[in-house]
Amino acid sequence: MASSTTIRELQRDLENKANDLSKLQKDIAKNHQVRKKYTIQLGENELVLKELDLLSEGANVYKLIGPVLVKQDLAEANANVRKRIDYISAELKRLDATVRDLEEKQNSKRDAVLKLQQRIQSLQAGKAKA
Amino acid sequence: MDETLKKGSVTPLSCMFPVDEAQKAAKRVEDSITEKQKELGSLKDFISDNTSLINLVTELPDELHHDIMVPFGKAAFFPGRLIHTNEFMVLLGEGYYAERTCKQTIEILKRRGKALDSQVESLQANLKDLRAEALFFNATASESAEGLVEIREDYVDENGGQTGQKSGTEDEQVTVEDDEYARIMSRLDELEKEELAAEDESQSDEDEHANTVDSHDASEKEKQSGAGDSNSNIQTSSEMWELEHQLKQGYPTTRVLSNKDSNKPNLTEQLSSSGLEVGPIPKDENYATQNVVSLPHQKDLLLPKVGEEVKEVSLSRKEAFTGSILERSDEMPSNAQMQKQTLQTPLEASKPRFDSSKAFTGSIVERTTNVQTDPIAGSSKLSTAQPSRPVSRFKQQRR
């Protein structure tokens, strides 16, 4: 009877681990989505920077803030866009790191789950034989 | 059939790639394809929007002012007039606007169009890859559903192991290489005649014929149980040396030992089987190619492939054939040995390696010397039921 209780415990453990694993997977998916968003923004900003670089010195540049267009200096706008690009790249790097971390965790969790499954199977097989 | 099991493994493709798994993978790829196609569609929309916008912008400064309906809220319009037709406020992205003239605007729009084009290109390349992947997955799924099997076989440097094999495509193969078959047969007939003549000279040949019916499995066992009584030490040590040398050229040392002790019955087996049933030879070729050959249920699917293989092998065989005869005719002391030699060669030649046949000459030499001294050899062969003895038999012989 002792074996049956251990099996039950193992199964509970397995369930917990599986839940953790699915949570991790969800996190990873979310991370990927955020990452996608940032990449799109990065592309857009680079486009803006290119256009701003092409503008001549005296051109009027406005920034849409809420409902109003605010006139901005070209150099200022340029600097702002550059800053924004830097920020987004940093963010992307951070996201990459977290994704890697999460994936590592996921792999280890998966291994643990597999091991648990094997143990349960072997236990059950032993029980069936006995 | 158990020979085949020994030599290689037959795995159903559905074992490695379960049907539903392959289908799942195929479905996932299909999904991503449709996603990408949607993306591609939206990009194309952007491009057409962009071109129409360019057209509009080029036309606007043609007039000093345009009468238009100005949208007011969601549902209402009121009549208005568009003035300053050469001044545009262009959204650069991220909330930045720039005041531009018509020409400058068009330039910006054209640059944007180029960016879109490059995006479309990369997306199309991506789609192409995905399509290839989907094709592969679908093929795998259907193949494993059909019950394709993968046949994997190790290259075994031994004649005897091959003769017993049967393959499902035997009939077709034989017809395919009819010419080859006839050629081999005539050659074998010749050799058989020679053998019959040689039979009078040496008793040893009787043994050969007595054994022709034995299954190959028996010969495998005999390798170990061997010609137990036949090792009277007639051989001079120099002979032994020579043998050992030759054998080592082609065989791993363990093989050498077992061959030396027992090759007599073993060889007779092989010889008889090669001489009397030529059928196996084409089969051998199929196996000797060693590639992973998948046998579908419909044998004819395999046929063209087999034909090619046969051609290849027959080429190499011819070379090996002549080569081995020339090489060995002077080495062989007796006529009977000669035939055995040549009988061996077709089988041997079906494998690309040369030194293996060389190794056989060695064993053959020894065999005759053994046999002549020992008439009981036949009986020893029949006692194949003995469990396999350790290889150290060779040492016993030396004592």
Side-chain angles (χ1 to χ4, degrees):
Chain A
M1 269 302 93
S3 66
S4 71
T5 54
T6 51
I7 283 181
R8 217 169 292 147
E9 266 172 38
L10 281 176
Q11 261 162 352
R12 204 173 303 135
D13 206 13
L14 180 67
E15 242 168 61
N16 287 339
K17 289 237 165 81
N19 281 341
D20 286 353
L21 185 63
S22 64
K23 222 179 269 170
L24 275 175
Q25 274 166 343
K26 248 182 226 162
D27 278 355
I28 288 177
K30 219 190 203 167
N31 214 314
H32 272 297
Q33 268 180 355
V34 174
R35 203 172 170 279
K36 211 171 163 186
K37 218 172 76 193
Y38 273 116
T39 3
I40 289 169
Q41 276 196 3
L42 184 70
E44 193 178 331
N45 272 287
E46 266 162 5
L47 221 70
V48 173
L49 188 70
K50 230 174 12 192
E51 293 300 337
L52 284 178
D53 280 341
L54 285 166
L55 287 182
S56 55
E57 200 56 38
N60 291 328
V61 179
Y62 302 87
K63 169 110 173 108
L64 188 69
I65 299 175
V68 287
L69 282 175
V70 181
K71 195 169 179 205
Q72 264 191 328
D73 206 36
L74 181 59
E76 199 189 328
N78 218 324
N80 279 342
V81 173
R82 266 177 220 281
K83 225 187 273 170
R84 187 142 176 78
I85 285 176
D86 284 348
Y87 168 71
I88 291 173
S89 326
E91 197 70 356
L92 274 177
K93 240 179 230 167
R94 194 182 62 83
L95 282 176
D96 273 352
T98 49
V99 160
R100 221 171 294 137
D101 203 43
L102 280 174
E103 264 165 7
E104 254 167 46
K105 265 191 207 161
Q106 185 195 24
N107 283 342
S108 64
K109 266 272 156 28
R110 192 178 289 148
D111 283 353
V113 166
L114 274 178
K115 261 178 207 157
L116 262 179
Q117 271 174 342
Q118 276 169 358
R119 249 178 84 190
I120 287 173
Q121 264 174 8
S122 65
L123 268 177
Q124 273 170 345
K127 214 171 128 196
K129 249 183 224 165
Chain B
M1 255 313 45
D2 46 353
E3 239 102 344
T4 344
L5 286 177
K6 246 182 261 166
K7 291 203 69 202
S9 60
V10 179
T11 340
L13 206 61
S14 54
C15 224
M16 282 183 294
F17 309 107
V19 182
D20 50 338
E21 288 291 323
Q23 274 166 352
K24 238 188 257 168
K27 197 169 169 285
R28 204 162 49 215
V29 175
E30 298 279 4
D31 284 352
S32 60
I33 284 179
T34 52
E35 213 172 273
K36 293 274 175 194
Q37 251 158 355
K38 256 187 219 159
E39 252 175 74
L40 194 66
S42 69
L43 271 181
K44 290 244 165 90
D45 280 353
F46 285 155
I47 288 177
S48 66
D49 276 3
N50 201 43
T51 46
S52 64
L53 188 61
I54 288 174
N55 285 336
L56 180 68
V57 170
T58 42
E59 278 169 16
L60 275 179
D62 288 353
E63 302 279 338
L64 207 59
H65 57 80
H66 297 269
D67 288 328
I68 52 160
M69 296 297 284
V70 183
F72 189 72
K74 269 183 188 167
F77 291 87
F78 62 87
R81 174 184 277 194
L82 199 64
I83 53 167
H84 298 297
T85 50
N86 201 19
E87 289 171 29
F88 294 90
M89 193 73 95
V90 184
L91 175 66
L92 300 177
E94 279 293 299
Y96 286 95
Y97 288 80
E99 247 178 11
R100 304 266 75 191
T101 65
C102 165
K103 269 194 182 169
Q104 289 165 329
T105 308
I106 289 171
E107 270 166 30
I108 291 176
L109 289 176
K110 275 186 181 158
R111 279 197 289 274
R112 231 170 251 182
K114 261 179 207 160
L116 283 173
D117 281 344
S118 72
Q119 274 182 43
V120 166
E121 249 169 54
S122 70
L123 207 59
Q124 264 165 351
N126 215 327
L127 257 175
K128 208 174 149 197
D129 283 357
L130 280 173
R131 285 219 177 92
E133 215 174 306
L135 212 69
F136 168 74
F137 276 127
N138 280 330
T140 311
S142 62
E143 273 170 5
S144 67
E146 275 168 17
L148 229 68
V149 294
E150 180 179 310
I151 300 177
R152 222 179 259 265
E153 208 162 276
D154 292 331
Y155 182 81
V156 181
D157 204 11
E158 185 196 349
N159 262 357
Q162 295 180 348
T163 47
Q165 283 168 3
K166 302 244 180 269
S167 81
T169 52
E170 182 190 346
D171 298 348
E172 282 92 336
Q173 283 171 291
V174 170
T175 51
V176 161
E177 55 148 22
D178 240 352
D179 294 355
E180 190 70 11
Y181 184 76
R183 203 176 63 78
I184 296 169
M185 262 322 238
S186 61
R187 179 73 185 144
L188 285 174
D189 284 344
E190 255 178 66
L191 293 169
E192 201 126 51
K193 269 177 216 155
E194 282 178 28
E195 193 174 42
L196 281 174
E199 212 166 14
D200 303 332
E201 297 174 13
S202 70
Q203 310 164 339
S204 66
D205 293 318
E206 285 173 21
D207 295 333
E208 286 175 27
H209 283 274
N211 259 317
T212 48
V213 208
D214 279 0
S215 72
H216 177 71
D217 272 82
S219 82
E220 287 272 275
K221 278 180 194 165
E222 279 164 3
K223 247 178 242 165
Q224 279 120 24
S225 63
D229 336 24
S230 66
N231 26 355
S232 49
N233 294 327
I234 284 234
Q235 295 165 314
T236 64
S237 59
S238 67
E239 258 178 346
M240 288 290 287
W241 255 103
E242 190 184 296
L243 278 176
E244 219 168 305
H245 196 66
Q246 283 172 332
L247 286 171
K248 266 173 190 164
Q249 282 176 359
Y251 276 73
T253 40
T254 50
R255 255 281 32 79
V256 170
L257 289 178
S258 64
N259 263 350
K260 277 204 168 180
D261 291 330
S262 58
N263 46 19
K264 190 201 66 172
N266 181 21
L267 269 178
T268 50
E269 276 302 326
Q270 287 166 0
L271 286 175
S272 58
S273 56
S274 68
L276 293 178
E277 29 163 311
V278 199
I281 295 175
K283 291 175 228 156
D284 289 346
E285 284 165 2
N286 191 22
Y287 280 90
T289 49
Q290 254 200 316
N291 295 331
V292 179
V293 180
S294 17
L295 284 175
H297 284 324
Q298 308 92 327
K299 291 166 188 170
D300 20 355
L301 276 181
L302 191 68
L303 255 180
K305 203 175 176 185
V306 169
E308 280 175 24
E309 285 167 3
V310 164
K311 256 183 213 162
E312 274 180 5
V313 174
S314 68
L315 271 179
S316 68
R317 165 185 300 165
K318 265 172 206 162
E319 284 175 7
F321 210 104
T322 51
S324 53
I325 291 174
L326 286 174
E327 207 181 322
R328 249 139 251 143
S329 50
D330 42 357
E331 288 177 28
M332 297 287 88
S334 85
N335 201 6
Q337 283 165 347
M338 258 290 278
Q339 321 156 9
K340 277 160 228 148
Q341 182 63 45
T342 39
L343 273 172
Q344 292 275 310
T345 39
L347 263 182
E348 198 63 50
S350 67
K351 298 184 221 162
R353 274 191 36 198
F354 246 91
D355 45 356
S356 62
S357 60
K358 222 177 240 172
F360 255 100
T361 42
S363 56
I364 288 168
V365 173
E366 204 216 18
R367 185 200 136 285
T368 36
T369 48
N370 267 349
V371 171
Q372 277 164 351
T373 58
D374 183 30
I376 323 165
S379 66
S380 82
K381 256 171 262 149
L382 294 177
S383 66
T384 51
Q386 291 176 9
S388 59
R389 282 194 210 166
V391 195
S392 61
R393 174 166 282 286
F394 175 55
K395 285 174 192 160
Q396 291 176 12
Q397 186 178 354
R398 269 196 159 168
R399 259 185 288 156

